[in-house]
């Protein structure tokens, strides 16, 4: 059983901070949230481990101010697994790594077939971790001891995993590649909010007509407001399919809405007035949504042959070459270069195609220097070759 200290107050945090400052080497950090249970993505437990310091399980809601923790580890390299998932919650607590090593991302770059934490720990250290509580409601208090044991093990082995992966990266000549990727994750800006997040309703494709879409939007907004008030995951109040069922039923009255069999969820009847008010608001809304979401002007690749034959040829010429390069480099193609980046450059290439111009285009889409150095010559050659094939000549003739 792992040894750990649970920190629930300022005095406990002070003791933990002293131990962490006296520890050695990088610090392993992990976060447990209540995704699927709570509306927010706040951290309900933060696990920290440093050699010669031990494992500390910190309860942010109970402790409150964690500035002392940031002061203690704010100039020490951090190790996280799938850092992009945890950084937003850590930043909400004003915790920011000066640099990071992402064991999940490192495993991807090294070509590991399995990159989940348990798999990476097993592959590198030969230790099996149980993941029984990964989807638990971590806002539960008090936290059961088996959950705490699980949380402690999530960071206890991370430093040893880090050491193995560092050696593997050096052996494969990927140390600089990994460093650029880690820094990109650490400094990546927060994504802007979606303009129409309600369009992510599961089953919305079955709703026809702008007025019905307005009702769906109103119901989604009403659910979001209530979920935020209750700090409860929206789907636990009324599932997506239930909202869509209410729209499709087109009830004539609140009583009719209550009789819709598929309008389910624990808040479907207790908040019936709220949902009926939303339906009425959607029916009266003078600003109707478009039938379809506004796109970025680039159709799906399956339509390229008709819409933009030259772009289709460019994409078909470059994609297999990048896939082969990724095989040679022993990493997933999407880590070598995201499919979206390749599609955008194939759809709208530079006026003059060569490695330099393709490199500039890649950089404008956020590609890192290592990606540009490896892929720009390949893409440029493929794009030039695409206009010299018999298929290209046939397309141009037609």
């Amino acid at each position: 059983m792992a040894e750990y200290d649970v920190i629930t107050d300022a005095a406990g945090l002070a003791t933990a901070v002293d131990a962490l400052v006296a520890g050695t080497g990088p610090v392993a950090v992990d976060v447990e949230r209540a995704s699927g249970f709570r509306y927010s993505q706040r951290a309900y437990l933060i696990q920290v481990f440093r050699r010669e310091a031990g494992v500390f399980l910190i309860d942010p809601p109970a402790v409150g101010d964690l500035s002392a923790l940031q002061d203690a580890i704010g100039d020490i390299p951090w190790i996280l697994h799938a850092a992009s998932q945890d950084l937003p919650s850590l930043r909400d607590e004003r915790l920011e790594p000066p640099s990071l090593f992402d064991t999940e991302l490192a495993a991807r770059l090294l070509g590991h077939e399995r990159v989940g934490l348990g798999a990476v720990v097993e592959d590198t250290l030969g230790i099996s971790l149980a993941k029984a509580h990964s989807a638990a409601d971590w806002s539960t208090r008090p936290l059961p001891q088996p959950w705490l044991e699980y949380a402690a093990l999530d960071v206890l082995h991370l430093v040893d995993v880090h050491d193995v992966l560092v050696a593997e990266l050096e052996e494969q000549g990927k140390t600089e590649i990994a460093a650029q990727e880690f820094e990109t994750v650490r400094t990546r800006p927060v994504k802007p909010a979606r303009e129409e997040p309600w369009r992510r309703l599961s089953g919305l494709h079955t709703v026809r007509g702008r007025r019905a879409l307005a009702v769906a939007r109103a119901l989604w907004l009403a659910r979001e407001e209530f979920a935020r008030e209750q700090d409860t995951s929206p789907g636990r109040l009324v599932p997506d399919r239930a909202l869509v069922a209410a729209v499709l039923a087109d009830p004539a009255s609140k009583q009719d809405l209550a009789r819709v069999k598929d309008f389910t969820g624990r808040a479907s009847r207790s908040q019936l007035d709220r949902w009926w008010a939303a339906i009425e608001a959607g029916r009266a809304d003078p600003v109707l949504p478009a039938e379809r979401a506004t796109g970025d002007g680039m159709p799906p690749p399956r339509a390229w042959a008709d819409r933009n034959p030259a772009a289709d040829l460019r994409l078909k010429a470059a994609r297999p070459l990048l896939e082969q390069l990724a095989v040679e480099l022993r990493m997933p193609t999407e880590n070598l270069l995201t499919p979206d980046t390749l599609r955008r450059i194939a759809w709208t290439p530079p006026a003059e195609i060569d490695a330099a111009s393709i490199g500039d285009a890649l950089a404008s889409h956020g590609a890192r220097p290592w990606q540009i150095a490896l892929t720009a010559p390949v893409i440029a050659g493929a794009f030039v070759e695409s206009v010299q094939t018999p298929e290209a000549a046939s397309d141009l003739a037609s």
Side-chain angles (χ1 to χ4, degrees):
M1 186 176 74
E3 295 184 1
Y4 56 84
D5 292 311
V6 179
I7 309 301
T8 59
D9 55 33
L13 183 64
T15 300
V17 161
D18 288 343
L20 289 166
V21 169
T24 60
V27 59
V29 180
D30 191 32
V31 173
E32 304 297 347
R33 294 174 292 276
S35 302
F37 295 92
R38 297 290 184 174
Y39 183 84
S40 73
Q41 291 299 306
R42 76 161 302 173
Y44 282 97
L45 194 71
I46 297 175
Q47 307 101 284
V48 182
F49 168 74
R50 195 180 189 195
R51 285 173 176 158
E52 299 183 27
V55 176
F56 300 97
L57 308 181
I58 301 168
D59 184 340
V63 175
D65 182 11
L66 298 180
S67 57
L69 178 62
Q70 176 66 28
D71 292 342
I73 64 174
D75 59 355
I76 301 169
W78 293 17
I79 305 169
L80 297 98
H81 190 84
S84 61
Q85 297 179 21
D86 290 343
L87 287 175
S89 299
L90 290 167
R91 284 168 177 152
D92 286 346
E93 302 295 337
R94 293 180 170 79
L95 298 175
E96 183 74 36
S99 64
L100 67 83
F101 185 102
D102 187 330
T103 51
E104 190 259 1
L105 182 50
R108 288 185 184 278
L109 295 171
L110 288 164
H112 287 211
E113 291 186 4
R114 305 179 303 162
V115 297
L117 177 58
V120 173
V121 171
E122 184 173 359
D123 292 345
T124 55
L125 306 179
I127 298 172
S128 296
L129 295 182
K131 300 299 290 181
H133 307 297
S134 58
D137 179 4
W138 287 89
S139 66
T140 300
R141 293 296 183 273
L143 286 168
Q145 185 171 346
W147 296 18
L148 296 172
E149 173 80 9
Y150 157 87
L153 290 172
D154 269 4
V155 289
L156 181 62
H157 302 296
L158 267 189
V159 178
D160 290 338
V161 170
H162 158 272
D163 292 348
V164 173
L165 295 179
V166 164
E168 288 187 27
L169 288 168
E170 182 66 28
E171 181 181 349
Q172 290 192 24
K174 295 176 179 176
T175 300
E176 177 57 25
I177 287 174
Q180 291 182 29
E181 291 300 289
F182 299 158
E183 185 64 6
T184 297
V185 171
R186 189 185 74 86
T187 60
R188 181 175 291 140
V190 177
K191 286 184 178 180
R194 285 174 170 263
E195 290 187 10
E196 296 181 304
W198 60 273
R199 289 190 184 270
R200 298 184 70 184
L201 265 175
S202 179
L204 188 67
H205 65 281
T206 63
V207 175
R208 296 288 184 266
R210 297 176 66 190
R211 180 57 65 193
L213 287 172
V215 172
R217 177 178 63 189
L219 280 168
W220 185 90
L221 290 171
R223 187 183 65 173
E224 284 292 296
E225 180 183 19
F226 187 50
R228 192 179 300 110
E229 292 172 1
Q230 300 296 310
D231 191 17
T232 300
S233 176
R236 296 182 73 83
L237 297 172
V238 180
D240 282 8
R241 65 180 181 276
L243 293 185
V244 172
V247 176
L248 296 176
D250 193 22
S253 66
K254 182 169 60 176
Q255 290 71 28
D256 285 347
L257 175 62
R259 286 191 285 268
V260 176
K261 181 180 178 181
D262 292 332
F263 185 56
T264 58
R266 71 189 200 193
S268 61
R269 300 304 184 273
S270 64
Q271 295 294 313
L272 195 62
D273 288 345
R274 181 187 299 269
W275 313 129
W276 180 246
I279 289 174
E280 290 188 312
R283 288 171 175 171
D285 195 335
V287 181
L288 298 180
E291 285 277 3
R292 295 184 179 181
T294 303
D296 57 9
M298 188 173 67
R302 64 179 179 273
W304 285 23
D306 294 326
R307 298 278 298 276
N308 189 339
D312 185 56
L313 291 171
R314 286 191 290 267
L315 182 62
K316 289 177 177 176
R319 188 164 50 195
L321 296 181
L322 291 184
E323 291 171 353
Q324 179 58 38
L325 179 58
V327 170
E328 295 170 4
L329 293 169
R330 295 168 58 186
M331 69 172 63
T333 305
E334 61 268 23
N335 288 105
L336 174 61
L337 190 69
T338 66
D340 182 71
T341 299
L342 177 60
R343 286 194 294 265
R344 291 185 182 280
I345 293 175
W347 185 259
T348 311
E352 297 292 332
I353 294 178
D354 55 31
S357 64
I358 292 295
D360 290 342
L362 288 169
S364 72
H365 288 289
R368 271 69 77 192
W370 75 269
Q371 292 175 314
I372 295 170
L374 289 171
T375 66
V378 174
I379 295 171
F383 283 8
V384 171
E385 181 68 21
S386 71
V387 301
Q388 299 172 352
T389 63
E391 184 180 358
S394 175
D395 286 342
L396 291 174
S398 61

